[in-house]
Amino acid sequence: MIMVVQELLWNSVRNRPDRPAVSDRTERLRWSELGARVAATADELTDLGVRPGDRVVALAGPCVRTVVLMWAVLELGAVFVPLHPGLTRMQVDHVVNDCDARVVVADGPAGAPLAGGRRVIDLADLPRVSAAPRPRRATTSENAPALLIYTSGTTGNPKGVVCPHRQVRAAVESIGSCLGYRSDDVIACRLPLAFDYGLYQLLLAADCGAEVVIVSAAEDVRLLRIIVERGVTVVPLVPSLARMLIALHRHRPVGTVLRLVTNTGARMAPALMEEFLERFPRVQYASMYGMTECKRISILPTNEWRAHPESVGRAIPGDEILILDENGEPVGTGHPGEIVVRGRTVMSGYWGVPMEAQDRYRRALDGSVELHTGDRGRLDDTGRLFFMGRNDDIVKRHGIRISLNEIESAAERVEGVDAAVALHPSGPSESLTLCFTGPADPDSLGITLEEFLDQARAPDRIIRMDSIPLTHNAKPDRRQLENLCLGTVS
């Protein structure tokens, strides 16, 4: 049996037609209704010339219509390319050109044509009229691309990660087996659907028949109320969302039926999660590690977090984690090195880039593809992974190689520090700046950090910020923070 991604949808349509599937602040669809909308939208895309293998760019925010579009694109055997609507025109043009998009669908008026004269279809113009849901209309290979997800491009133009049906299905199966999503779960997704962490909530929900409640940024002040009113049981978190829910609960404490929260993409300080769990005591927390290039790498069982709060878990089923030194040789247990992943969730590479020219993906001796993450970590004797930062965040100070992640983690253990980001020095002799949010006094924080950090790791400057700027995917925006700090210092 060919296991393609869209079968997740049709299985839930057949098995749970009258159960809620997805909702936003304007509409709510059952699985049968979602299937009907998908079929009608697929017909419309066919009329627009979309064929199997074509790339369809979705420049749209998280909403039910975007969900329908994703499933319709997959139903046609085409490739779904999600983009954040906040991207600049130059960034969008790059992606549209790079993937040679057949159609661009945007959430709003079409406006001027994009790169190559491609016209933009308004998401609102796609049909809402129901059609009889049909099974797969295109014969799709498991090895064909299902998704093309562009990375943030912090070191240049973004690159599209090719995500074939086989690997996407493998990731859904492995993550689902670790997290245990259930058919009676209600998942509140406040993440962008252009962020694979958000996008996969739709796939995980379809796999088990759960409901996804899509929450927009405009509803942030109501997020806790939505969780209560909709009976939300699962929330995929990032640190900024955890802080938001803590603040909302502090303002108006309420009971919830939350049972599970997760985190990936940005480091969750143990102290922050401790405070979250104090306010939501029935909740279990799964710490995870991954990257778009292979979706998920490791998940820590919920019952191990309190004993190992710094760990991001063991390799998910079907994958293997290696820790290699600078010469590509395995290191011993407990020793740091580069995190390398092999297994069934490793995606097939970057769009349009020959394998020999790829920096992350490399062909192993047995012909399989390995992912060299560029991240540093270590494994304990049970296979638990401890993330130590990116290779880009390893700097040399006073003749010692240090990780900026070490400094941030130390600061976030201090009372009065909500979040901390250490900025990359421009050279070995340049000063090291630590930015933080929270009520702590910068001078007192510096004195406290002297107890935890040696001279090579101690920051030269500590700046308290009102907030840490975030990227579209809710990760710290280091470039913007550096610019803000330059202004603060001057």
Side-chain angles (χ1 to χ4, degrees), residues 37-90:
R37 284 272 291 277
V38 168
T41 300
D43 286 337
E44 179 70 15
L45 292 174
T46 299
D47 293 341
L48 292 169
V50 176
R51 299 292 182 266
D54 285 344
R55 276 72 61 199
V56 177
V57 170
L59 188 62
C63 65
V64 167
R65 290 178 298 174
T66 304
V67 177
V68 171
L69 175 63
M70 178 196 75
W71 288 117
V73 171
L74 294 173
E75 172 68 356
L76 290 176
V79 184
F80 186 65
V81 188
L83 292 184
H84 196 286
L87 295 181
T88 66
R89 174 59 180 267
M90 184 178 297

Side-chain angles (χ1 to χ4, degrees), residues 13 41 72 83 89 105 123 125 144 160 166 176 224-225 275 279-280 322 325 329 371 390 396 428 437 477 481:
V13 169
T41 300
L83 292 184
R89 174 59 180 267
V105 182
L123 186 63
D125 290 340
R166 183 192 301 273
L224 184 56
R225 184 185 302 177
E275 184 176 0
R279 294 196 167 273
F280 301 94
L322 308 173
D325 64 19
E329 297 295 327
L371 175 65
R390 293 195 57 78
K396 198 167 188 179
T437 61
D477 190 332
L481 188 57

Side-chain angles (χ1 to χ4, degrees), residues 74-130:
L74 294 173
E75 172 68 356
L76 290 176
V79 184
F80 186 65
V81 188
L83 292 184
H84 196 286
L87 295 181
T88 66
R89 174 59 180 267
M90 184 178 297
Q91 290 170 318
V92 174
D93 274 350
H94 165 76
V95 171
V96 170
N97 264 335
D98 185 64
C99 73
D100 190 21
R102 168 69 68 178
V103 170
V104 179
V105 182
D107 190 4
L114 287 171
R118 296 171 179 84
R119 68 191 182 104
V120 182
I121 309 301
D122 191 338
L123 186 63
D125 290 340
L126 294 178
R128 290 172 176 263
V129 179
S130 296

Side-chain angles (χ1 to χ4, degrees), residues 363-376:
R363 189 75 65 185
L365 293 177
D366 62 1
S368 63
V369 176
E370 293 180 340
L371 175 65
H372 291 246
T373 65
D375 293 340
R376 291 180 60 79

Side-chain angles (χ1 to χ4, degrees), residues 396-398 425-432 460:
K396 198 167 188 179
R397 298 190 79 219
H398 305 294
S426 57
S429 61
E430 296 297 319
S431 60
L432 192 154
D460 301 295

Side-chain angles (χ1 to χ4, degrees), residues 459-471:
D460 301 295
R461 296 182 301 191
I462 299 178
I463 302 174
R464 182 169 55 199
M465 312 290 293
D466 292 332
S467 62
I468 299 293
L470 303 176
T471 66

